[in-house]
Amino acid sequence: MGIEEKRCFDRLSITGCRGSRVNIILLGPPGAGKGTQAERLVADRGMVQLSTGDMLRAEKNAGTDLGNRIKAVMESGALVSDEIVSSLIDENLARLDAGQGVIFDGYPRTAAQVETLDGLLAAHGRKLERVIELAVDEDSLVARIVGRYTCARCGAGYHDTFRQPRVAGTCDVCGSHEFKRRADDNEETVRTRMAEYRAKTEPIIPIYDARGILRRVDGMADIDRVSAAIAAILDGR
Ligand code: AP5
Ligand code: MG
């Protein structure tokens, strides 16, 4: 065992080590900060982000058969079918090294997806350690979402008010000057996405709570504080 691995082992932390084999779900409504926090966990802990929203957008933007089938559903704010998202997760899990910890971002979103994920984790020899709920005040989420944009080249996330690039019009990460906004980031669609969350996703919270792996974080705190709260949970502090 190397020094780094030994230090991790001694701390009995569930994700304190780069690349440690931990699997978590980030759960919360549209705009809760799932993607923002996942991006940080990838950078800080070498985990892998599996975002069903990103996978579906990639299909849509590439104009694949699947992308063309789901375009209208996504742009209405409704959920894509359980079968489609679960098969994307299955394909992506199959590509990962066993030692890579996974952050499920935006999946599962229905009780059926919870059940499917249980089966997929078992099939891929993985265990779910934590489900972290980002608790937010829905009224403020519309402002978060409609102000959001990303770098068109590297995907780094920004916001008109909360997270601007250090140099206006230039991506902090790759220096690109091209940015884009999501087709579903308008107020009307956001309302539908919220309603879908309340009707289909919120009911899965008690399932994970009953398993004793659910932890709740104040998602209304600033981004660094939310990251610190997640780190404390993952490090068992
Ligand atoms: P998806 O892409 O998953 O979208 P979502 O769940 O609606 O969530 P968002 O990505 O909008 O929000 P987020 O929580 O990632 O917030 P972010 O970090 O960006 O899904 C899109 C669509 O795909 C669905 O509507 C559905 O059609 C389909 N789909 C996806 N998964 C599916 C599934 N499993 N089943 C069926 N269909 C599925 O933050 C938002 C903004 O706020 C950013 O600008 C950020 O900078 C800012 N911000 C973040 N944290 C803070 C903070 N603490 N304080 C201030 N600002 C903050
Ligand atoms: Mg997201």
Side-chain angles (χ1 to χ4, degrees):
M1 188 185 289
I3 293 173
E4 174 107 342
E5 278 173 286
K6 170 125 188 8
R7 207 177 284 134
C8 295
F9 184 77
D10 290 346
R11 281 167 59 199
L12 291 176
S13 130
I14 61 169
T15 67
C17 328
R18 266 188 91 76
S20 64
R21 198 191 150 130
V22 65
N23 304 290
I24 67 168
I25 294 171
L26 290 181
L27 194 62
K34 304 181 294 294
T36 303
Q37 296 302 329
E39 206 181 287
R40 287 179 168 211
L41 290 167
V42 169
D44 296 347
R45 294 177 186 250
M47 296 174 74
V48 176
Q49 175 190 17
L50 293 187
S51 159
T52 39
D54 288 349
M55 293 171 201
L56 294 166
R57 274 185 291 282
E59 296 284 341
K60 189 165 76 84
N61 295 338
T64 62
D65 283 350
L66 172 60
N68 293 332
R69 273 190 283 137
I70 60 176
K71 186 174 186 295
V73 177
M74 285 185 80
E75 290 178 5
S76 74
L79 293 186
V80 171
S81 77
D82 292 333
E83 291 71 24
I84 289 176
V85 288
S86 295
S87 81
L88 287 172
I89 289 287
D90 189 16
E91 283 165 26
N92 278 274
L93 283 174
R95 284 194 206 117
L96 297 181
D97 289 341
Q100 291 179 290
V102 173
I103 309 150
F104 294 96
D105 163 2
Y107 181 90
R109 259 171 149 104
T110 63
Q113 290 178 23
V114 169
E115 208 175 299
T116 306
L117 178 60
D118 287 343
L120 290 177
L121 288 169
H124 291 280
R126 291 177 178 270
K127 178 173 174 275
L128 185 62
E129 274 85 6
R130 289 281 178 265
V131 176
I132 300 179
E133 181 196 354
L134 299 172
V136 282
D137 160 22
E138 274 196 19
D139 291 340
S140 54
L141 295 183
V142 176
R144 273 195 193 180
I145 292 175
V146 297
R148 168 176 59 185
Y149 60 98
T150 53
C151 170
R153 192 198 291 163
C154 75
Y158 297 98
H159 191 278
D160 292 329
T161 313
F162 308 124
R163 195 181 172 194
Q164 292 159 326
R166 283 191 291 274
V167 177
T170 305
C171 176
D172 294 346
V173 178
C174 74
S176 164
H177 303 297
E178 300 283 322
F179 296 90
K180 60 181 184 185
R181 290 179 192 261
R182 275 169 47 174
D184 60 348
D185 277 356
N186 57 77
E187 185 160 350
E188 194 192 337
T189 309
V190 171
R191 300 275 175 212
T192 307
R193 285 158 59 195
M194 302 274 186
E196 288 282 84
Y197 178 81
R198 268 194 303 272
K200 296 173 184 162
T201 309
E202 237 172 30
I204 73 175
I205 294 174
I207 300 176
Y208 288 122
D209 200 12
R211 296 183 191 179
I213 56 172
L214 181 80
R215 299 289 180 276
R216 177 178 268 228
V217 163
D218 175 13
M220 295 309 295
D222 70 43
I223 294 174
D224 288 342
R225 280 179 188 273
V226 178
S227 303
I230 293 173
I233 291 169
L234 297 185
D235 292 339
R237 282 183 267 129

